[in-house]
Structure formats: structure tokens, C-alpha cells
Amino acid sequence: RYAVVESGTASLEDFRKEVDDLQFSIETKKNIMENLRGFPFSRIPQILKGISGLDDKKAQETILESKRNLLRQNEILEVVHIEDGIDQIGGLNELKKWIVERKDNFSKEARDFGIPTPKGMLMLGVQGCGKSLTCKVTANIWNFPLVRLDFINLFRKGRSVEELLKEAIVTIEGFAPVVLWIDEIEKALSQDTKGAEIRRILGWLMTWMQEKNEPVFLVATANKVSLLPPELLRKGRFDEIFFVDLPSKSEREEIFRIHLTKRSRNPEDFNIPKLAEDTENFSGAEIEQLVVDTLITAYSKKSDMSQKILEEVVRRTVPLSVTYEENIKELRIWSRNRARNASGNRRIESFFTK
């Protein structure tokens, strides 16, 4: 069920020469060495032999998929994988730059240079604006497996949640480097929850986040900052806290282009600036749904997707921001001096006060 821990004098360094002899780039060889962790040593020669004739990208993906399959044997963890790259994230330029800059920060060379092992990041903000997608894409950029830990699911196992959490972390550390994703962390660690077990879990998790040495990068997301325990936001828990707001006009244009292209439509056939203008306060997820709804409407009319139909769908759609305006305003006010704007500007809109 869990990572195989083998005793004796064997270590991953024993396979360094075999990896160095492979016909891959230096960067790929480095990534292969990192991702061999967690495999039984007896399997490693077979794995290296299996990738020897592949190109760099396919070799890395083959090892990652083998690693994911081992992690899938754990009933607590959910292995998540998508094919999307960073070009599928519309906007959020500051956040994307931050992720790309840290791609090689888990290496021995980074330690020797003086860079500490990255700990994690917290993304808080409006629903449907790319937090979950960013988690998935981060793992792809870094060529690490992504595992999701669902706290709510832990409570349904009929065992001590504290024990389950510790077992899950031991497993993840055995396979590190790994990106660990905790979605909507406030639901599990709400300060309104008074249970003794929750307090113990929170205390243990905070200590692990502060003191962990293994390259496990924690990505946590949250929608309601008022429910977050204050100790979670203390300096040193995360490398950075990002605020993800509703997309700006230029970001909405980019999001429209992404989703039209994904559905084999040429963005040049549409008036993208006008669509972006008409969808102020729409989230990225809502813009994607607009494109899908337009396809459905066009198909029902036996016609192709058009600007006219898309504008009709926009007019009849009410964005979530209308319903949750107070929650969004609260997020913006809290984030103004406490979080880094994921879009790369310091402007925190407050359109509700207009």
C-alpha cells in the first residue's frame, strides 16, 4: 500500500552511472534521478532499461506514470494528472512566472547555491478562476507526480484521522519529489471547528509544514479566508500566498482564445475584445461554460458557432460574482496587503463600491 523502504547499504546513488550512460539531456537525467525515489531498488534496472530507447519527454512521462501507479495503490491519496501545460492558464502571469522560476529549485545544485527547499504556496481567491488548474499544471511543469489529499474523505474512513494523515504524509515523502494538493483547506481546518482531533491535526500539520525536509511541495487552495486558522497564514508556512481575482479584460480575452482553440474554433473568427468587454466580472470557468453553452445552442440550431450566438448566451448568463459579491469583496480587502496578486499588478478591484 505504501512506499517500499529498503534497508541495507543500497542507495539511489548506486544507479547514478546507469542514468548518466543514458542518451538524454542533463536536465532529463537530473529529473530521472529525482523521480526514481519510491521505487524498490530491485525494479530500477528494469525501469531504466525500459526508457533507454525513448526520447526525453516520453522517458520522463513513463517514469512518472509508473510512480503514479504505485501511489494509486494508496486508498487515502488521489493521484491527479492532466495533459495541460502552462499555455492553458489564461492570465495569472505573476503566478505563472513564480512557478516557472522554481522549476529547478528542488535540485542538489539549488541547495549548494544556497536556495532552501521550496515548501509550498497558498492560493486563495474567487471560485472558478484557475486555482485548481494551476495546481495540476504546476506538477506538469516540474515533472513531479501530483497527489490530492481530501480531508473530508479522511473523516469517512472510520479510523483516526490523525493516524491516516500521518500515514499519507509518510507515503508521499517516500515518493518525493511530489506536489501535494489540499483543495479548499479551510473546510477541513476551519477555526470554527472545535473538535479536539481537528486541533491535534492542525498542530501536527503546522509542525510538518514548518520542519519538513523532504521535497514535498504543498499547494493549498482556499475560497473563504475568514475560515482559515490564523496559524496557517504565519510567515514560514508557505513560500508565498497568492490572491487569484476575477480575470481582467486582457485575461478574459486570453481565456476566450484558449477555450475557442481547444474546441477547434479559430479565435480570429470572433470579436474577442467585445466578448471580453461584455463579460466583466465573469470567472474563467464561467467563460469556458459560455463557449460550451454556445456550442450546444449552435448544434441545436443546426448551425455553426458564431459571434451572434455567443453574445446571446452571454446576455442570458448571470455570473457568480453577482451572488457572492460580499464574499469577493471580503477576499479583496483581506488580500490587499497580505497576499501577492497572481495577475501581476497591485490593483485589487472594488467594483461593488461603485
Side-chain angles (χ1 to χ4, degrees), residues 52-205:
S52 60
L54 304 176
D55 61 35
D56 287 49
K57 183 177 181 181
K58 185 64 176 176
Q60 292 181 76
E61 180 53 35
T62 298
I63 289 182
L64 275 175
E65 186 56 28
S66 297
K67 201 168 187 177
R68 292 185 198 110
N69 286 335
L70 284 178
L71 284 163
R72 287 184 181 108
Q73 297 176 26
N74 185 288
E75 62 179 357
I76 303 170
L77 302 171
E78 176 191 355
V79 177
V80 181
H81 177 59
I82 61 171
E83 299 295 335
D84 290 346
I86 200 166
D87 59 330
Q88 294 301 303
I89 300 176
L92 308 185
N93 289 337
E94 187 74 8
L95 174 55
K96 290 190 290 189
K97 177 184 175 184
W98 190 91
I99 293 167
V100 171
E101 285 178 343
R102 282 154 182 77
K103 176 177 171 60
D104 297 321
N105 283 10
F106 295 86
S107 65
K108 181 180 181 300
E109 291 80 1
R111 299 292 81 70
D112 294 343
F113 193 73
I115 299 173
T117 302
K119 294 181 178 181
M121 66 175 171
L122 171 64
M123 290 183 289
L124 54 91
V126 184
Q127 293 181 22
C129 289
K131 297 189 298 297
S132 296
L133 177 59
T134 301
C135 293
K136 300 168 188 175
V137 169
T138 297
N140 287 353
I141 294 171
W142 292 349
N143 288 312
F144 293 165
L146 172 66
V147 293
R148 181 172 177 264
L149 183 60
D150 185 350
F151 268 90
I152 305 303
N153 188 42
L154 293 183
F155 285 95
R156 298 172 181 153
K157 294 294 182 181
R159 289 175 54 198
S160 164
V161 175
E162 186 177 4
E163 288 182 10
L164 286 170
L165 176 61
K166 290 179 180 179
E167 286 181 9
I169 295 299
V170 167
T171 300
I172 293 166
E173 289 186 332
F175 284 95
V178 170
V179 176
L180 171 61
W181 174 22
I182 302 180
D183 197 22
E184 297 185 352
I185 193 171
E186 77 273 25
K187 288 186 177 180
L189 302 179
S190 168
Q191 59 187 358
D192 293 335
T193 307
K194 304 300 182 183
E197 187 170 30
I198 286 291
R199 289 195 293 272
R200 287 197 305 272
I201 291 168
L202 179 60
W204 186 87
L205 184 64

Side-chain angles (χ1 to χ4, degrees), residues 92-343:
L92 308 185
N93 289 337
E94 187 74 8
L95 174 55
K96 290 190 290 189
K97 177 184 175 184
W98 190 91
I99 293 167
V100 171
E101 285 178 343
R102 282 154 182 77
K103 176 177 171 60
D104 297 321
N105 283 10
F106 295 86
S107 65
K108 181 180 181 300
E109 291 80 1
R111 299 292 81 70
D112 294 343
F113 193 73
I115 299 173
T117 302
K119 294 181 178 181
M121 66 175 171
L122 171 64
M123 290 183 289
L124 54 91
V126 184
Q127 293 181 22
C129 289
K131 297 189 298 297
S132 296
L133 177 59
T134 301
C135 293
K136 300 168 188 175
V137 169
T138 297
N140 287 353
I141 294 171
W142 292 349
N143 288 312
F144 293 165
L146 172 66
V147 293
R148 181 172 177 264
L149 183 60
D150 185 350
F151 268 90
I152 305 303
N153 188 42
L154 293 183
F155 285 95
R156 298 172 181 153
K157 294 294 182 181
R159 289 175 54 198
S160 164
V161 175
E162 186 177 4
E163 288 182 10
L164 286 170
L165 176 61
K166 290 179 180 179
E167 286 181 9
I169 295 299
V170 167
T171 300
I172 293 166
E173 289 186 332
F175 284 95
V178 170
V179 176
L180 171 61
W181 174 22
I182 302 180
D183 197 22
E184 297 185 352
I185 193 171
E186 77 273 25
K187 288 186 177 180
L189 302 179
S190 168
Q191 59 187 358
D192 293 335
T193 307
K194 304 300 182 183
E197 187 170 30
I198 286 291
R199 289 195 293 272
R200 287 197 305 272
I201 291 168
L202 179 60
W204 186 87
L205 184 64
M206 297 300 103
T207 301
W208 174 77
M209 290 171 63
Q210 191 75 32
E211 300 179 357
K212 65 183 174 71
N213 295 313
E214 300 296 340
V216 177
F217 188 80
L218 174 61
V219 181
T221 67
N223 296 324
K224 293 185 178 181
V225 69
S226 61
L227 297 180
L228 287 172
E231 54 266 50
L232 183 71
L233 304 172
R234 206 188 83 192
K235 278 291 184 184
R237 305 292 191 203
F238 295 99
D239 298 319
E240 192 60 272
I241 299 176
F242 282 99
F243 172 59
V244 181
D245 204 348
L246 291 167
S248 65
K249 183 176 183 294
S250 62
E251 289 176 322
R252 294 195 297 276
E253 290 183 14
E254 188 177 348
I255 294 167
F256 269 112
R257 290 190 179 94
I258 287 171
H259 292 295
L260 287 168
T261 302
K262 186 180 284 189
R263 289 159 182 84
S264 304
R265 291 334 191 257
N266 185 357
E268 300 305 315
D269 294 337
F270 297 84
N271 187 343
I272 300 295
K274 184 176 189 307
L275 290 171
E277 188 72 38
D278 292 345
T279 52
E280 185 178 5
N281 304 329
F282 278 67
S283 69
E286 288 169 332
I287 291 173
E288 178 181 12
Q289 193 58 48
L290 289 175
V291 173
V292 172
D293 288 348
T294 301
L295 284 169
I296 293 170
T297 300
Y299 187 76
S300 69
K301 293 181 176 181
K302 302 290 191 294
S303 66
D304 198 4
M305 187 177 182
S306 67
Q307 176 83 17
K308 181 181 179 182
I309 298 175
L310 188 43
E311 289 181 3
E312 289 174 358
V313 172
V314 170
R315 281 194 293 271
R316 70 181 186 226
T317 303
V318 179
L320 195 66
S321 60
V322 173
T323 306
Y324 291 96
E325 61 180 50
E326 289 303 320
N327 290 340
I328 296 172
K329 184 177 180 180
E330 178 187 12
L331 276 169
R332 287 171 169 163
I333 292 172
W334 186 92
S335 300
R336 189 170 293 152
N337 297 311
R338 297 183 179 95
R340 188 170 174 177
N341 193 298
S343 295

Side-chain angles (χ1 to χ4, degrees), residues 18-25 28-29 32 44-60 62-63:
E18 288 184 61
V19 173
D20 286 342
D21 289 342
L22 294 171
Q23 300 301 308
F24 298 126
S25 68
T28 296
K29 291 176 184 178
I32 289 171
I44 291 179
Q46 180 185 359
I47 291 170
L48 296 179
K49 182 179 179 181
I51 65 172
S52 60
L54 304 176
D55 61 35
D56 287 49
K57 183 177 181 181
K58 185 64 176 176
Q60 292 181 76
T62 298
I63 289 182

